[in-house]
Amino acid sequence: MKYLLLAAVSVSVCVYNTQAFSNIHASRSSRIVDGSVAPFKWQLHAESNPSCEVLLMDHFNINHEKGRHDALRAFYFDFLGCAIDPRKQENIEIGTKTLWANIGMHQFHLPEGKPDAQVFDGVITLIHEDLSALMERYNDYLDGDEKFAPLKETEFMVGVLDDSLLMVTDPWGTEFNLMSSDDPEEDRASDVGAQPLIEGHKPSEGLKLEDLTVYVPHDANLEGIGRFYQHVLGAPAIEELGSESSISISMGERQTLTFQYHPDGPDTLVNHHDFSYDEQDEFPSNHGPHISLYVTDLAKAYQSAAKLGVTYVNPRFKRRAYSEEEALDQCMFRLIEIIDPLDENKEVILYLEHEVRSAKTRDGKKYKSCPLNES
């Protein structure tokens, strides 16, 4: 295995690089093909990828700045309208440690940095029923509402393209694409699954995490990335959403994981991992962001990953799977190296940590953290 050790003020008017959104983040209301409205992504998935073995991309893990629970709450809960996960409610009350922010059946896991926040080099696309409430809150922020005072003197920005698309920067620089829904009931998909809700609290305003776009170097092998996901996770690429500079991988019927050449150009350094080493551990700890997803057959995915030599254990987390048996016991394993299965030299295209989960335990019961409803 090859591991590499790599070592603002808000404004009311901002300019975003819209190239980052040109391929797969077009507004649904303006997605016109030959005079008619093109299908939504989840429809493309259902029609084009009936055999996808990924069920759901359930959470994205990214560190926030230590000591800034105030900014974290103001952005994720007060501005975005995420729901507080009851399993981390006590951390809201004490004002420290990890928070989980829920949006539909998806989540953001938000641990404390050591001490800095992570800035994701990509774009996170969320779907809301409509964007009017977000715009009202942004106006409240501009008017000096105390609720949003923690967002002052941070990287927080909002760019308005139209009434169906906002481009938002979080307090530390991570970019979000917020889109309005054409079918809120379908997008929330509460008949498919949901995250737990604190008694007496309303569900999240946001309906879903639709896409995670990961920026990659311009020499990255996009076709090799596609082959990796098909080979290891049974997740096919979606041709209709790809381009010469990007590839979109199906994450079930409702989501995509997109890899796109960095919009800042070919000389831009791209890094999605942060390794540290301890001689007592077989693997380096990764302090970079990670994604979590559920698959239909954990044993099959583990065997494919092991054969390719990409299974990984992050010493940062207590749950560790060094073998297939331990993966089945833990209902999860990790991988971090993306490698083209056809590359005899097994060169790493990209490091991006994945937590691969099973929806069911060994005895067939639903895994406790899985948000999907039982069939």
Side-chain angles (χ1 to χ4, degrees):
M1 293 189 179
K2 303 170 184 177
Y3 297 100
L4 301 177
L5 180 61
L6 297 178
V9 178
S10 64
V11 294
S12 58
V13 179
C14 57
V15 178
Y16 284 81
N17 184 344
T18 55
Q19 178 185 351
F21 307 95
S22 60
N23 292 329
I24 62 166
H25 295 310
S27 168
R28 293 179 177 194
S29 61
S30 62
R31 188 180 294 142
I32 305 296
V33 177
D34 296 329
S36 60
V37 179
F40 299 162
K41 288 181 183 177
W42 65 267
Q43 291 175 314
L44 290 172
H45 300 175
E47 295 167 5
S48 304
N49 300 293
S51 62
C52 182
E53 295 174 17
V54 172
L55 297 169
L56 175 76
M57 181 167 58
D58 72 296
H59 78 248
F60 181 57
N61 190 103
I62 186 168
N63 294 350
H64 70 276
E65 181 182 356
K66 189 172 184 178
R68 291 306 310 270
H69 252 224
D70 58 341
L72 194 69
R73 294 195 305 270
F75 180 72
Y76 281 95
F77 302 116
D78 296 332
F79 179 71
L80 286 184
C82 293
I84 300 169
D85 192 289
R87 292 164 291 190
K88 298 295 180 182
Q89 183 179 5
E90 63 179 20
N91 293 345
I92 280 274
E93 297 166 358
I94 64 175
T96 187
K97 298 184 179 180
T98 297
L99 295 181
W100 291 353
N102 296 346
I103 173 168
M105 71 176 77
H106 316 288
Q107 296 183 307
F108 293 98
H109 287 193
L110 305 162
E112 289 181 327
K114 300 191 179 293
D116 296 335
Q118 292 165 343
V119 179
F120 175 58
D121 203 359
V123 182
I124 301 165
T125 296
L126 307 180
I127 305 300
H128 278 243
E129 183 165 350
D130 68 72
L131 304 181
S132 59
L134 289 158
M135 284 307 306
E136 288 179 12
R137 288 196 284 269
Y138 184 55
N139 287 330
D140 291 342
Y141 160 80
L142 295 176
D143 291 339
D145 189 323
E146 284 301 310
K147 182 191 303 183
F148 301 109
L151 299 179
K152 297 290 185 181
E153 306 299 325
T154 73
E155 298 293 327
F156 177 64
M157 296 182 185
V158 176
V160 183
L161 291 191
D162 54 40
D163 60 1
S164 62
L165 178 59
L166 300 179
M167 295 176 180
V168 177
T169 302
D170 84 355
W172 300 283
T174 293
E175 294 184 354
F176 289 74
N177 184 17
L178 307 184
M179 297 169 60
S180 61
S181 173
D182 290 304
D183 190 338
E185 184 176 351
E186 183 67 47
D187 280 329
R188 189 180 291 279
S190 56
D191 59 322
V192 177
Q195 295 290 345
L197 189 65
I198 297 174
E199 185 176 355
H201 283 218
K202 295 180 179 179
S204 63
E205 286 186 16
L207 304 174
K208 62 183 285 196
L209 193 168
E210 176 159 285
D211 175 80
L212 189 70
T213 292
V214 182
Y215 291 152
V216 299
H218 283 227
D219 61 355
N221 179 356
L222 295 179
E223 291 184 355
I225 291 174
R227 285 189 288 268
F228 172 85
Y229 281 93
Q230 178 69 74
H231 177 78
V232 176
L233 298 174
I238 305 171
E239 283 189 33
E240 297 92 333
L241 299 180
S243 72
E244 291 183 356
S245 61
S246 69
I247 186 169
S248 290
I249 309 298
S250 177
M251 294 283 106
E253 294 185 0
R254 307 179 65 251
Q255 296 172 289
T256 46
L257 177 62
T258 297
F259 296 87
Q260 178 182 311
Y261 292 155
H262 204 292
D264 290 346
D267 297 329
T268 306
L269 178 65
V270 181
N271 174 34
H272 297 289
H273 67 286
D274 180 11
F275 286 148
S276 64
Y277 293 83
D278 187 322
E279 292 182 355
Q280 296 179 345
D281 296 317
E282 179 181 349
F283 296 91
S285 294
N286 177 44
H287 302 276
H290 75 253
I291 62 172
S292 171
L293 53 90
Y294 285 88
V295 294
T296 59
D297 190 335
L298 189 71
K300 179 182 177 182
Y302 186 93
Q303 291 164 12
S304 297
K307 188 174 181 179
L308 191 59
V310 296
T311 56
Y312 168 68
V313 173
N314 192 344
R316 174 183 167 195
F317 297 101
K318 293 181 179 179
R319 294 171 62 228
R320 305 173 185 181
Y322 290 92
S323 66
E324 181 181 342
E325 288 301 304
E326 290 180 345
L328 295 175
D329 287 339
Q330 296 283 340
C331 290
M332 58 75 66
F333 73 93
R334 295 179 186 271
L335 54 85
I336 196 168
E337 298 168 308
I338 297 179
I339 292 174
D340 184 353
L342 298 184
D343 181 3
E344 294 181 357
N345 296 321
K346 298 294 188 287
E347 292 292 333
V348 177
I349 302 172
L350 188 73
Y351 294 94
L352 178 67
E353 185 174 350
H354 300 57
E355 181 181 359
V356 184
R357 293 181 168 187
S358 172
K360 294 186 177 181
T361 61
R362 273 185 180 272
D363 59 5
K365 295 180 180 178
K366 177 183 172 181
Y367 176 57
K368 62 181 180 180
S369 296
C370 180
L372 297 170
N373 295 333
E374 294 186 79
S375 57

